[in-house]
Amino acid sequence: MSLRKVKNHLKKDIILEKLIASTDMLKLPKSGNVFNELVKAIVYQQISYKAADSIYSRFIELFDSEKYMPAELSKQKFEDLRSAGLSNQKANYVKNIALFFEEHQLINCDWERLSDEEIIDLLTRIKGVGTWTVHMILIFQLCRPDVFPDKDLAIQIVMKKLYRINSEKRQLLVDMNKIAHNWSPYRSFASLYLWSWRRDNN
Protein backbone atom coordinates (compact mmCIF):
# COMPACT_ATOMS: atom_id res chain seq x y z
CA MET A 1 0.00 0.00 0.00
CA SER A 2 1.41 3.37 -1.02
CA LEU A 3 1.25 5.82 1.87
CA ARG A 4 1.63 8.67 -0.60
CA LYS A 5 -1.47 7.44 -2.40
CA VAL A 6 -3.34 7.31 0.91
CA LYS A 7 -2.32 10.85 1.78
CA ASN A 8 -3.20 12.24 -1.66
CA HIS A 9 -6.63 10.64 -1.52
CA LEU A 10 -7.45 11.95 1.95
CA LYS A 11 -6.22 15.45 1.11
CA LYS A 12 -9.23 15.81 -1.18
CA ASP A 13 -11.08 16.52 2.07
CA ILE A 14 -10.22 20.11 3.01
CA ILE A 15 -10.35 19.38 6.75
CA LEU A 16 -8.12 16.33 6.51
CA GLU A 17 -5.78 18.24 4.23
CA LYS A 18 -5.06 20.64 7.10
CA LEU A 19 -4.56 17.80 9.57
CA ILE A 20 -2.22 15.97 7.22
CA ALA A 21 -0.18 19.13 6.62
CA SER A 22 0.48 19.49 10.35
CA THR A 23 1.03 15.80 11.17
CA ASP A 24 3.66 13.26 10.22
CA MET A 25 2.43 10.44 8.00
CA LEU A 26 0.61 7.96 10.21
CA LYS A 27 0.96 4.23 9.66
CA LEU A 28 -1.26 1.37 10.71
CA PRO A 29 0.40 -0.89 13.28
CA LYS A 30 0.02 -4.64 12.93
CA SER A 31 0.52 -7.49 15.37
CA GLY A 32 -2.15 -9.94 14.27
CA ASN A 33 -2.52 -11.09 17.88
CA VAL A 34 -6.28 -10.96 17.92
CA PHE A 35 -7.03 -13.08 21.01
CA ASN A 36 -4.73 -11.34 23.50
CA GLU A 37 -5.57 -7.88 22.21
CA LEU A 38 -9.30 -8.59 22.31
CA VAL A 39 -9.00 -9.54 25.98
CA LYS A 40 -6.87 -6.45 26.63
CA ALA A 41 -9.47 -4.24 24.97
CA ILE A 42 -12.10 -5.53 27.40
CA VAL A 43 -9.84 -4.86 30.40
CA TYR A 44 -9.23 -1.28 29.24
CA GLN A 45 -12.87 -0.42 28.52
CA GLN A 46 -14.56 2.42 30.41
CA ILE A 47 -11.79 3.10 32.94
CA SER A 48 -8.82 5.44 32.97
CA TYR A 49 -5.70 4.36 31.13
CA LYS A 50 -3.68 4.47 34.34
CA ALA A 51 -6.12 2.23 36.19
CA ALA A 52 -6.32 -0.15 33.22
CA ASP A 53 -2.51 -0.40 33.06
CA SER A 54 -2.40 -1.41 36.71
CA ILE A 55 -5.16 -4.00 36.37
CA TYR A 56 -3.73 -5.47 33.19
CA SER A 57 -0.29 -5.82 34.78
CA ARG A 58 -1.81 -7.84 37.63
CA PHE A 59 -3.89 -9.82 35.15
CA ILE A 60 -0.81 -10.77 33.11
CA GLU A 61 0.92 -12.00 36.27
CA LEU A 62 -1.62 -14.83 36.35
CA PHE A 63 0.10 -16.33 33.30
CA ASP A 64 3.59 -17.45 32.33
CA SER A 65 3.63 -15.15 29.30
CA GLU A 66 1.84 -12.09 27.95
CA LYS A 67 0.90 -14.26 24.98
CA TYR A 68 -1.22 -16.67 26.99
CA MET A 69 -3.54 -19.11 25.22
CA PRO A 70 -7.34 -19.36 25.46
CA ALA A 71 -7.11 -22.62 27.43
CA GLU A 72 -4.92 -20.91 30.03
CA LEU A 73 -7.47 -18.15 30.53
CA SER A 74 -10.36 -20.61 30.62
CA LYS A 75 -8.69 -22.43 33.52
CA GLN A 76 -8.24 -19.28 35.60
CA LYS A 77 -10.42 -19.14 38.67
CA PHE A 78 -13.01 -16.40 38.65
CA GLU A 79 -11.81 -15.28 42.08
CA ASP A 80 -8.27 -14.79 40.76
CA LEU A 81 -9.52 -12.64 37.89
CA ARG A 82 -11.46 -10.54 40.38
CA SER A 83 -8.39 -10.27 42.62
CA ALA A 84 -6.43 -8.90 39.65
CA GLY A 85 -8.91 -6.04 39.52
CA LEU A 86 -11.43 -7.11 36.90
CA SER A 87 -15.07 -6.39 37.62
CA ASN A 88 -17.54 -9.28 37.70
CA GLN A 89 -18.73 -8.31 34.24
CA LYS A 90 -15.26 -8.04 32.71
CA ALA A 91 -14.16 -11.32 34.29
CA ASN A 92 -17.12 -12.99 32.61
CA TYR A 93 -16.41 -11.26 29.31
CA VAL A 94 -12.76 -12.35 29.11
CA LYS A 95 -13.82 -15.89 29.99
CA ASN A 96 -16.38 -15.70 27.17
CA ILE A 97 -13.63 -14.71 24.73
CA ALA A 98 -11.41 -17.60 25.78
CA LEU A 99 -14.20 -20.16 25.49
CA PHE A 100 -15.28 -18.81 22.10
CA PHE A 101 -11.74 -19.00 20.71
CA GLU A 102 -11.41 -22.56 22.02
CA GLU A 103 -14.75 -23.74 20.69
CA HIS A 104 -14.19 -22.22 17.24
CA GLN A 105 -10.45 -23.00 17.12
CA LEU A 106 -9.63 -19.39 16.30
CA ILE A 107 -6.17 -19.10 17.82
CA ASN A 108 -4.62 -20.09 14.47
CA CYS A 109 -7.29 -18.46 12.35
CA ASP A 110 -6.13 -17.01 9.04
CA TRP A 111 -7.75 -13.62 9.55
CA GLU A 112 -6.50 -12.41 6.18
CA ARG A 113 -8.99 -14.72 4.50
CA LEU A 114 -11.92 -13.03 6.22
CA SER A 115 -13.46 -9.71 5.22
CA ASP A 116 -13.96 -6.91 7.73
CA GLU A 117 -17.68 -7.68 7.83
CA GLU A 118 -17.07 -11.39 8.43
CA ILE A 119 -14.73 -10.63 11.33
CA ILE A 120 -17.22 -8.20 12.87
CA ASP A 121 -20.01 -10.75 12.52
CA LEU A 122 -17.86 -13.50 14.04
CA LEU A 123 -16.39 -11.69 17.04
CA THR A 124 -19.53 -9.78 18.04
CA ARG A 125 -21.15 -13.14 18.72
CA ILE A 126 -19.07 -13.14 21.90
CA LYS A 127 -21.04 -11.68 24.80
CA GLY A 128 -19.26 -8.51 25.88
CA VAL A 129 -17.61 -7.80 22.53
CA GLY A 130 -19.22 -5.00 20.54
CA THR A 131 -18.64 -3.44 17.16
CA TRP A 132 -16.34 -0.73 18.55
CA THR A 133 -14.02 -3.32 20.07
CA VAL A 134 -13.79 -5.26 16.82
CA HIS A 135 -13.16 -2.03 14.90
CA MET A 136 -10.13 -1.46 17.14
CA ILE A 137 -8.89 -4.98 16.41
CA LEU A 138 -9.34 -4.47 12.67
CA ILE A 139 -7.41 -1.20 12.70
CA PHE A 140 -4.67 -1.81 15.23
CA GLN A 141 -4.09 -5.56 14.99
CA LEU A 142 -5.06 -6.54 11.46
CA CYS A 143 -4.06 -3.34 9.68
CA ARG A 144 -7.32 -3.08 7.76
CA PRO A 145 -7.24 0.21 5.82
CA ASP A 146 -10.94 1.01 5.43
CA VAL A 147 -12.54 0.83 8.88
CA PHE A 148 -14.56 3.74 10.24
CA PRO A 149 -15.24 3.50 14.00
CA ASP A 150 -18.22 5.84 14.00
CA LYS A 151 -19.19 4.92 17.57
CA ASP A 152 -15.83 5.97 18.96
CA LEU A 153 -16.44 8.92 21.27
CA ALA A 154 -13.22 10.73 20.34
CA ILE A 155 -13.99 10.43 16.62
CA GLN A 156 -17.48 11.79 17.24
CA ILE A 157 -16.18 14.75 19.25
CA VAL A 158 -13.56 15.68 16.66
CA MET A 159 -15.89 15.37 13.68
CA LYS A 160 -18.61 17.41 15.37
CA LYS A 161 -16.09 20.16 16.01
CA LEU A 162 -14.10 20.16 12.77
CA TYR A 163 -17.00 19.46 10.41
CA ARG A 164 -19.49 21.54 12.41
CA ILE A 165 -21.98 18.71 12.80
CA ASN A 166 -24.85 19.62 15.12
CA SER A 167 -26.81 16.37 15.04
CA GLU A 168 -26.92 13.77 17.80
CA LYS A 169 -27.37 10.02 18.27
CA ARG A 170 -28.51 8.13 15.16
CA GLN A 171 -28.49 11.19 12.90
CA LEU A 172 -24.95 11.97 14.03
CA LEU A 173 -23.81 8.55 12.81
CA VAL A 174 -25.58 9.14 9.49
CA ASP A 175 -23.91 12.51 9.04
CA MET A 176 -20.49 11.17 10.02
CA ASN A 177 -20.70 8.25 7.63
CA LYS A 178 -21.80 10.52 4.81
CA ILE A 179 -18.58 12.51 5.23
CA ALA A 180 -16.42 9.42 5.78
CA HIS A 181 -17.76 7.78 2.62
CA ASN A 182 -15.45 10.04 0.62
CA TRP A 183 -12.43 8.80 2.59
CA SER A 184 -12.91 5.22 1.46
CA PRO A 185 -10.91 3.03 0.89
CA TYR A 186 -8.67 4.62 3.55
CA ARG A 187 -11.04 5.43 6.39
CA SER A 188 -8.75 3.80 8.98
CA PHE A 189 -6.00 6.29 8.12
CA ALA A 190 -8.46 9.17 8.31
CA SER A 191 -9.44 7.96 11.77
CA LEU A 192 -5.78 7.97 12.83
CA TYR A 193 -5.52 11.62 11.84
CA LEU A 194 -8.69 12.48 13.75
CA TRP A 195 -7.41 10.68 16.86
CA SER A 196 -4.08 12.46 16.51
CA TRP A 197 -5.80 15.84 16.36
CA ARG A 198 -7.86 14.96 19.43
CA ARG A 199 -4.74 13.94 21.35
CA ASP A 200 -2.90 17.15 20.42
CA ASN A 201 -5.87 19.42 21.14
CA ASN A 202 -7.43 17.77 24.16
Side-chain angles (χ1 to χ4, degrees):
M1 182 187 305
S2 168
L3 294 179
R4 179 177 294 180
K5 184 177 181 180
V6 171
K7 184 182 288 189
N8 288 339
H9 178 77
L10 295 179
K11 285 169 69 175
K12 295 175 184 177
D13 180 303
I14 190 170
I15 302 297
L16 285 181
E17 182 181 22
K18 294 177 181 178
L19 300 190
I20 291 169
S22 60
T23 309
D24 291 335
M25 184 62 204
L26 301 176
K27 299 179 181 180
L28 291 176
K30 184 176 183 179
S31 76
N33 191 345
V34 173
F35 170 67
N36 297 121
E37 292 301 326
L38 195 57
V39 171
K40 186 175 181 179
I42 294 297
V43 174
Y44 275 69
Q45 280 181 0
Q46 299 177 330
I47 56 176
S48 72
Y49 199 84
K50 184 177 181 180
D53 273 344
S54 177
I55 293 171
Y56 194 68
S57 293
R58 296 198 300 273
F59 173 77
I60 288 298
E61 289 176 359
L62 299 173
F63 307 95
D64 294 329
S65 167
E66 287 191 26
K67 293 186 177 181
Y68 52 88
M69 301 295 284
E72 296 176 78
L73 177 50
S74 295
K75 293 176 183 177
Q76 289 293 331
K77 294 180 180 179
F78 189 81
E79 295 77 13
D80 291 337
L81 296 176
R82 292 284 289 117
S83 295
L86 272 68
S87 65
N88 283 330
Q89 188 177 58
K90 287 187 176 182
N92 280 316
Y93 286 170
V94 298
K95 283 273 196 177
N96 291 342
I97 294 171
L99 290 172
F100 190 87
F101 269 69
E102 282 188 284
E103 291 172 0
H104 293 81
Q105 299 180 332
L106 293 178
I107 199 64
N108 293 315
C109 176
D110 184 1
W111 299 101
E112 296 298 328
R113 295 182 60 184
L114 300 178
S115 68
D116 295 350
E117 292 72 21
E118 288 172 328
I119 294 173
I120 292 170
D121 178 68
L122 176 65
L123 295 182
T124 53
R125 296 178 198 172
I126 307 171
K127 185 176 181 180
V129 176
T131 304
W132 177 86
T133 304
V134 184
H135 279 165
M136 297 303 104
I137 294 297
L138 288 170
I139 295 173
F140 293 106
Q141 306 309 319
L142 298 178
C143 199
R144 297 298 175 94
D146 196 31
V147 178
F148 180 53
D150 56 1
K151 294 182 180 179
D152 183 86
L153 182 59
I155 295 290
Q156 292 181 358
I157 290 172
V158 173
M159 289 192 70
K160 287 184 71 172
K161 183 175 182 64
L162 297 183
Y163 291 88
R164 299 182 180 180
I165 303 173
N166 297 316
S167 53
E168 299 289 346
K169 299 181 180 180
R170 183 176 297 180
Q171 187 58 46
L172 171 60
L173 299 181
V174 171
D175 294 340
M176 289 171 61
N177 277 280
K178 185 176 180 180
I179 293 169
H181 176 75
N182 295 319
W183 304 339
S184 188
Y186 304 119
R187 290 178 295 175
S188 297
F189 289 91
S191 299
L192 292 181
Y193 280 109
L194 296 176
W195 277 318
S196 178
W197 188 91
R198 171 67 173 172
R199 183 176 60 251
D200 294 340
N201 294 274
N202 193 2

